[in-house]
């Protein structure tokens, strides 16, 4: 029985997806896998039994990816599974920033005791009016699953859209409305956009990527939307730009002691992906990724190892080895296997920086000592023999 420990509430459809042979356990000790949403794992000690972590969501800044890789733990996320929900929130944010719906709602609440509130509203409404978003220019920084959906939705609402992504994937490029203009220089997006929305992962490299200099390059009166992570923006510089009016509005999904006190900011409590649909899709996708890794050794959508996918096991077993990315590792592993008299049917290997993963499908009986012999090779981190289900 494989044990899965949930560090947050995970949608039941997701834990159900694990199916027979899996048990949700309260204790992390002895767990084969963790399912997590936003719980911070940086200070968590992982048991030696832990093979994988499934993050039901896109951002993985709550997980120590390098330490996990060093300990032979594969971390998965669920790219795209909550993209539609985030896209819908970003569109709501664009509209909230253009017209003062929030102020208007508050006004009605404050005047709810007035029997003539309807008449008063007709007089008061002028102060909450604004502008259409149609015809305005939206700059989208990051054209992954969410950014591409936002760009397309904005196009269908009549906006001009500039997209910036130095790592644009072919899949994302194909999914983009043909009128989204791909811009290769971030400064050009900053200077030309009435609205800017950022959709990039929070990593040490992207920390503060919207700093004082970038803000200074933006158009006067720009609105900046942040539905990725607060660490991407120098929020002190943003607060000053809001104070002096250079930035008209900052709409952020990340409440913190700086953003919560900003003038002209609309601050949400991380609602972008908070829909039943997104939580279900993320949980199902995370469960499938974990199952595929545990049962077949396949790595798909990992954020700390490269993709290695041999499909379902068709021979007798697979040998799955996490190791350092050093010369002749495959030679060492295959010579143990040939010494044990097993036949290699198929294999894949992927290295990512200093680490690598090798997955070998074999026919023939494998003694448990084979795993011990492979584990004894220098720079091998973890070995599993995965037998085909009978
Ligand atoms: C994500 O990273 O997927 C979203 O911000 C929502 C979440 O943190 O779960």
């Amino acid at each position: 029985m494989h044990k899965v420990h949930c560090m947050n509430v995970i949608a039941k459809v997701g834990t159900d997806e694990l199916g027979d042979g899996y048990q949700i356990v309260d204790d992390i000790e002895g767990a084969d896998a963790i399912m997590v949403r936003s719980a911070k794992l940086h200070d968590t000690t992982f048991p030696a039994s832990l093979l994988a972590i499934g993050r039901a969501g896109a951002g993985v800044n709550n997980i120590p990816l390098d330490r996990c890789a060093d300990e032979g733990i594969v971390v998965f996320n669920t790219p795209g599974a909550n993209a539609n929900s985030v896209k819908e929130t970003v569109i709501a944010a664009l509209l909230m920033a253009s017209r003062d719906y929030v102020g208007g709602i508050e006004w009605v609440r404050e005047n709810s005791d007035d029997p003539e509130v309807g008449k008063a509203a007709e007089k008061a409404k002028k102060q909450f009016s604004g502008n259409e978003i149609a015809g305005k220019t939206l700059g989208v920084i990051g054209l992954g699953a969410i950014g591409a959906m936002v760009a397309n939705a904005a196009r269908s609402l009549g906006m001009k859209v500039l997209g910036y992504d130095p790592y644009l994937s072919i899949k994302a490029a194909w999914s983009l409305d043909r009128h989204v203009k791909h811009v290769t220089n971030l400064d050009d997006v900053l200077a030309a956009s009435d609205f800017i929305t950022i959709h990039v992962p929070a990593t040490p490299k992207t920390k503060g990527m919207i700093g004082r200099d970038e803000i200074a390059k933006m158009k006067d009166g720009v609105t900046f939307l942040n539905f990725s992570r607060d660490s991407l923006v120098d929020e002190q510089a943003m607060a000053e730009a809001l104070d002096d009016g250079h930035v008209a509005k900052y709409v952020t999904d990340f409440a913190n002691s700086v953003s919560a006190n900003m003038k002209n900011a609309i601050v949400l409590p991380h609602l972008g992906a908070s829909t039943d649909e997104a939580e279900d899709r993320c949980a199902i996708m995370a469960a499938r990724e974990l199952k595929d890794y545990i049962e077949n050794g396949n790595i798909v959508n990992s954020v700390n190892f490269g993709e290695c996918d041999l499909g379902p096991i068709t021979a007798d077993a697979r040998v799955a080895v996490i190791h350092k990315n050093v010369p002749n590792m495959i030679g060492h592993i295959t010579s143990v296997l040939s010494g044990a008299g097993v036949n290699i049917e198929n294999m894949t290997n992927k290295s990512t920086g200093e680490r690598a993963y090798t997955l070998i499908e074999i026919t023939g009986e494998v003694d448990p000592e084979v795993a011990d012999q492979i584990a004894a090779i220098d720079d091998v981190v973890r070995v599993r023999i995965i037998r085909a289900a009978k």
Side-chain angles (χ1 to χ4, degrees):
M1 192 62 89
H2 301 295
K3 294 182 180 159
V4 178
H5 176 67
C6 297
M7 308 266 315
N8 292 103
V9 176
I10 300 292
K12 186 172 175 309
V13 284
T15 49
D16 286 352
E17 186 72 20
L18 292 165
D20 291 344
Y22 288 81
Q23 185 190 8
I24 303 297
V25 293
D26 290 338
D27 196 355
I28 193 172
E29 255 337 291
D32 299 289
I34 285 175
M35 293 184 86
V36 64
R37 282 169 59 196
S38 53
K40 293 200 170 31
L41 303 188
H42 288 278
D43 297 328
T44 305
T45 304
F46 301 118
S49 59
L50 194 72
L51 301 175
I53 297 175
R55 155 76 166 113
V60 285
N61 54 320
N62 55 327
I63 305 175
L65 301 183
D66 288 335
R67 174 160 69 90
C68 285
D70 291 344
E71 295 178 20
I73 301 164
V74 181
V75 182
F76 298 91
N77 72 345
T78 59
N82 59 20
N84 192 61
S85 292
V86 181
K87 171 203 82 183
E88 288 184 1
T89 315
V90 173
I91 297 302
L94 275 170
L95 296 169
M96 278 195 299
S98 309
R99 302 162 66 172
D100 192 4
Y101 297 108
V102 176
I105 292 165
E106 278 167 4
W107 182 90
V108 173
R109 201 164 284 141
E110 279 158 19
N111 290 275
S112 59
D113 291 340
D114 179 355
E116 297 292 325
V117 62
K119 221 189 228 172
E122 289 307 320
K123 278 199 191 139
K125 70 180 184 187
K126 208 168 180 294
Q127 60 188 300
F128 308 115
S129 66
N131 295 99
E132 294 187 1
I133 56 170
K136 308 295 183 306
T137 300
L138 173 69
V140 183
I141 302 175
L143 293 165
I146 298 171
M149 276 193 179
V150 169
N152 291 348
R155 277 291 311 144
S156 69
L157 291 169
M159 299 188 83
K160 295 176 197 141
V161 181
L162 308 177
Y164 169 80
D165 190 337
Y167 310 103
L168 183 65
S169 72
I170 293 174
K171 190 171 163 206
W174 274 110
S175 73
L176 280 175
D177 179 299
R178 70 190 171 91
H179 293 108
V180 172
K181 189 166 172 221
H182 187 219
V183 179
T184 52
N185 185 343
L186 178 60
D187 288 358
D188 292 343
V189 175
L190 299 177
S193 302
D194 303 300
F195 297 83
I196 300 174
T197 183
I198 188 163
H199 300 284
V200 304
T203 67
K205 271 197 185 151
T206 58
K207 188 171 163 50
M209 72 176 271
I210 301 301
R212 205 169 288 281
D213 289 350
E214 287 70 29
I215 293 171
K217 287 172 187 160
M218 294 175 195
K219 251 188 186 181
D220 267 342
V222 68
T223 286
F224 194 91
L225 313 176
N226 182 0
F227 285 81
S228 291
R229 286 295 181 266
D230 47 6
S231 63
L232 300 172
V233 176
D234 175 347
E235 290 196 326
Q236 204 46 58
M238 184 60 79
E240 288 166 28
L242 286 162
D243 273 341
D244 69 23
H246 173 54
V247 174
K249 291 254 166 62
Y250 179 52
V251 191
T252 173
D253 209 10
F254 306 98
N256 59 47
S257 56
V258 179
S259 65
N261 292 295
M262 280 175 181
K263 175 180 150 193
N264 288 332
I266 299 173
V267 186
L268 301 172
H270 201 182
L271 292 182
S274 291
T275 62
D276 292 346
E277 293 84 352
E279 286 176 16
D280 286 357
R281 282 194 297 265
C282 286
I284 291 172
M285 189 167 169
R288 289 184 182 159
E289 290 164 351
L290 291 174
K291 255 173 97 73
D292 195 23
Y293 178 61
I294 290 171
E295 295 171 22
N296 299 307
N298 293 327
I299 298 184
V300 179
N301 290 329
S302 168
V303 283
N304 62 349
F305 283 91
E307 182 147 326
C308 277
D309 185 4
L310 292 179
I313 301 185
T314 52
D316 290 331
R318 280 185 185 164
V319 180
V321 189
I322 292 177
H323 53 86
K324 298 229 172 95
N325 182 16
V326 292
N328 202 26
M329 183 56 82
I330 294 176
H332 291 308
I333 298 169
T334 52
S335 77
V336 172
L337 293 176
S338 62
V342 297
N343 188 39
I344 294 177
E345 300 286 345
N346 199 357
M347 67 177 288
T348 177
N349 162 277
K350 192 57 77 57
S351 54
T352 328
E354 289 174 6
R355 60 194 76 123
Y357 182 65
T358 299
L359 184 63
I360 305 176
E361 179 143 317
I362 53 171
T363 42
E365 261 313 299
V366 243
D367 292 334
E369 295 90 78
V370 170
D372 296 341
Q373 284 170 31
I374 296 174
I377 299 169
D378 276 353
D379 296 320
V380 165
V381 178
R382 189 192 285 275
V383 184
R384 283 193 302 145
I385 309 283
I386 310 165
R387 289 175 214 284
K390 293 269 182 257

